[in-house]
């Protein structure tokens, strides 16, 4: 890696928003470290970015459900003499059904990937950014973290709300040192997410104006973190939803969330 090119570490880089972050940052002249579970997809993406943008791309496959993964990633980067300038904490997924419908091991893995791993990666990589006087951290949260949580996918909204508050605190702590931190909070985004959660048939019934492409979500996220926004919600519709819900009494907002969520949640109730 050359010192002139920023280096970005992207988790969950094999598809969707993570892969799009890789493409757009490579187009901006970044070198990349890509991590996810699916090695074949990472290697395919790495080849694409090397050919199209001349980026140097390191592929470090790992499952962030493994508690040792963040330290392993950090130590591997140090051994290779790589200093991370941008951290994109993107890895995530949903667990369909109600809380008691899944084994604890399923929830433990989810919490490790969605909460512990991004928190630890930030803890391990922020000191270097602060010493160098420049860095960017994007924690991919969700509009779900701003609105009442529905039944089903019980831990998803809670984990995203955590990332939002975590990002706000980190932004205040690190901006004086040249490091910007942003919670990116997309709403419905075209990706494989709903195929994995087996809700694609329900999601396809939602009107098109409620959706954004991963390309647009990432474009806005990069602009927002460069601008110094601690939280950014892409899309006017999503920002309206967040503002509208906050103006409602809590009981009414929760009732509305419960009614509307039946369109796109597999609750298992």
């Amino acid at each position: 890696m050359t010192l002139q090119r920023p280096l970005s570490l992207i988790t969950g880089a094999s598809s969707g928003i993570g892969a799009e972050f890789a493409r757009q940052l490579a187009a901006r002249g970044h070198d990349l470290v890509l991590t996810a579970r699916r090695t074949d997809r990472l290697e395919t993406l790495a080849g694409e970015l090397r050919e199209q943008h001349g980026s140097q791309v390191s592929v470090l496959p790992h499952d962030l459900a493994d508690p040792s993964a963040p330290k392993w990633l950090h130590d591997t980067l140090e051994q290779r003499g790589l200093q991370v300038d941008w951290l994109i904490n993107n890895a995530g997924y949903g667990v369909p059904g109600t809380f008691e419908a899944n084994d604890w091991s399923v929830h433990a893995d989810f919490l490790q990937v969605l909460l512990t791993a991004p928190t630890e990666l930030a803890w391990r990589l922020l000191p270097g950014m602060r010493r160098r006087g420049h860095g960017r951290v994007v924690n991919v949260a969700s509009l779900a973290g701003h609105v009442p949580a529905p039944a089903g996918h019980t831990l998803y909204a809670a984990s995203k709300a955590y990332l939002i508050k975590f990002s706000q605190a980190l932004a205040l702590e690190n901006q004086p040192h040249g490091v910007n931190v942003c919670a990116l909070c997309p709403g419905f985004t075209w990706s494989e997410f709903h195929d994995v959660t087996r809700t694609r048939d329900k999601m396809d019934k939602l009107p098109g104006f409620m959706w954004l492409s991963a390309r647009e979500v990432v474009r806005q996220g990069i602009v927002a973190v460069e601008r110094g926004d601690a939280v950014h919600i892409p899309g006017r519709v999503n920002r309206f939803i967040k503002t509208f819900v906050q103006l409602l009494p809590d009981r009414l907002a929760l009732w509305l969330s419960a009614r509307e969520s039946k369109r796109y949640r597999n609750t298992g109730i």
Side-chain angles (χ1 to χ4, degrees), residues 78 97 258-259:
E78 282 206 330
R259 190 192 71 175

Side-chain angles (χ1 to χ4, degrees), residues 23-76:
R23 293 187 177 98
Q24 293 195 29
L25 290 174
R28 291 167 61 96
H30 287 223
D31 291 326
L32 303 166
V33 177
L34 308 179
T35 187
R37 294 177 299 170
R38 295 178 286 191
T39 305
D40 56 340
R41 290 199 176 194
L42 292 178
E43 292 289 1
T44 298
L45 178 59
E48 169 195 326
L49 301 178
R50 292 177 187 125
E51 180 178 351
Q52 291 185 3
H53 303 292
S55 300
Q56 297 189 43
V57 185
S58 299
V59 172
L60 298 178
H62 213 301
D63 186 353
L64 289 180
D66 179 352
S68 69
K71 184 177 187 300
W72 178 83
L73 286 168
H74 173 264
D75 292 350
T76 301

Side-chain angles (χ1 to χ4, degrees), residues 4-159:
Q4 290 77 21
R5 295 172 64 92
L7 176 66
S8 293
L9 168 61
I10 304 171
T11 70
S14 60
S15 65
I17 290 173
E20 187 59 33
F21 261 112
R23 293 187 177 98
Q24 293 195 29
L25 290 174
R28 291 167 61 96
H30 287 223
D31 291 326
L32 303 166
V33 177
L34 308 179
T35 187
R37 294 177 299 170
R38 295 178 286 191
T39 305
D40 56 340
R41 290 199 176 194
L42 292 178
E43 292 289 1
T44 298
L45 178 59
E48 169 195 326
L49 301 178
R50 292 177 187 125
E51 180 178 351
Q52 291 185 3
H53 303 292
S55 300
Q56 297 189 43
V57 185
S58 299
V59 172
L60 298 178
H62 213 301
D63 186 353
L64 289 180
D66 179 352
S68 69
K71 184 177 187 300
W72 178 83
L73 286 168
H74 173 264
D75 292 350
T76 301
L77 293 170
E78 282 206 330
Q79 291 165 9
R80 297 186 183 187
L82 302 178
Q83 297 179 334
V84 173
D85 302 291
W86 284 55
L87 168 62
I88 311 298
N89 277 318
N90 167 74
Y93 59 97
V95 177
T98 57
F99 189 56
E100 75 282 358
N102 292 281
D103 292 339
W104 174 248
S105 61
V106 173
H107 295 314
D109 286 350
F110 178 89
L111 294 171
Q112 178 65 37
V113 174
L114 272 290
L115 272 70
T116 305
T119 304
E120 183 176 349
L121 283 171
W123 180 80
R124 291 187 179 280
L125 295 173
L126 276 169
M129 296 180 188
R130 288 166 61 112
R131 284 195 303 271
R132 296 188 297 273
H134 186 271
R136 302 288 183 260
V137 177
V138 178
N139 293 316
V140 179
S142 172
L143 178 64
H146 290 284
V147 300
H153 300 252
T154 316
L155 298 178
Y156 186 80
S159 70

Side-chain angles (χ1 to χ4, degrees), residues 222-238:
I222 291 173
V223 170
V225 73
E226 288 279 50
R227 191 169 52 214
D229 295 350
V231 179
H232 181 72
I233 302 173
R236 293 179 180 176
V237 171
N238 294 325

Side-chain angles (χ1 to χ4, degrees), residues 189-245:
T189 305
W190 295 112
S191 71
E192 296 178 359
F193 181 91
H194 303 292
D195 299 307
V196 174
T197 59
R198 303 187 298 278
T199 55
R200 174 58 60 194
D201 57 333
K202 294 185 178 183
M203 304 311 299
D204 286 346
K205 297 176 183 177
L206 294 176
F209 67 82
M210 295 189 68
W211 294 84
L212 286 179
S213 66
R215 182 176 183 178
E216 180 61 17
V217 168
V218 170
R219 185 194 70 79
Q220 291 193 33
I222 291 173
V223 170
V225 73
E226 288 279 50
R227 191 169 52 214
D229 295 350
V231 179
H232 181 72
I233 302 173
R236 293 179 180 176
V237 171
N238 294 325
R239 291 192 287 273
F240 170 80
I241 291 171
K242 182 243 186 182
T243 301
F244 174 71
V245 169

